[in-house]
Amino acid sequence: MRDAETPSGALLRNDSPVVHLFKALAHPMRASIVYRLTESPADVTELVELLEASQPLVSHHLRVLREAHLVEAVRDGRRNSYSLIDDHVTSIFLDALRHTKEHDHDCHH
């Protein structure tokens, strides 16, 4: 099942891109942003309203997601429209979400 370039049993370090990716997703607000963007692009105003958070806070989380190469900003007139960088991000997030819904996390497996 594994086809990644890291050999089996290799230690993934803090500076590993995959570790950076999961760290970026490990905050509820950033996960909520990514979840929203799986539907369609959105601008900061829409995300501020959805998240009921301040514009500077939402912008900070968008910057973290951009630095992790999960989200991109496209200039749309006077605003930036944010979208997921590619379909892999959608798949990673939605697969993880489905996984958590399929498994009862009170069980020990």
Side-chain angles (χ1 to χ4, degrees):
M1 177 146 180
R2 176 198 297 251
D3 64 353
E5 295 178 18
T6 304
S8 180
L11 178 64
L12 293 172
R13 305 171 70 86
N14 265 343
D15 61 351
S16 166
V18 72
V19 171
H20 189 63
L21 179 148
F22 282 106
K23 282 183 178 181
L25 290 172
H27 189 283
M29 189 166 293
R30 292 192 292 267
S32 296
I33 291 169
V34 169
Y35 188 37
R36 166 56 190 82
L37 296 179
T38 63
E39 296 174 8
S40 64
D43 64 24
V44 173
T45 303
E46 182 180 341
L47 294 171
V48 164
E49 291 172 6
L50 173 74
L51 299 167
E52 299 179 345
S54 69
Q55 183 273 323
L57 183 59
V58 172
S59 292
H60 164 76
H61 287 295
L62 284 165
R63 184 175 64 249
V64 172
L65 293 169
R66 283 193 323 270
E67 290 171 356
H69 305 288
L70 297 171
V71 169
E72 63 184 351
V74 175
R75 197 77 172 151
D76 184 18
R78 296 181 61 198
R79 297 179 180 207
N80 281 330
S81 179
Y82 293 89
S83 61
L84 299 180
I85 205 155
D86 62 29
D87 290 338
H88 294 112
V89 177
T90 302
S91 296
I92 290 165
F93 186 84
L94 293 178
D95 284 349
L97 186 62
R98 279 190 288 271
H99 173 76
T100 60
K101 288 181 178 182
E102 289 173 0
H103 295 277
D104 180 348
H105 289 283
D106 291 332
C107 67
H108 302 290
H109 65 47

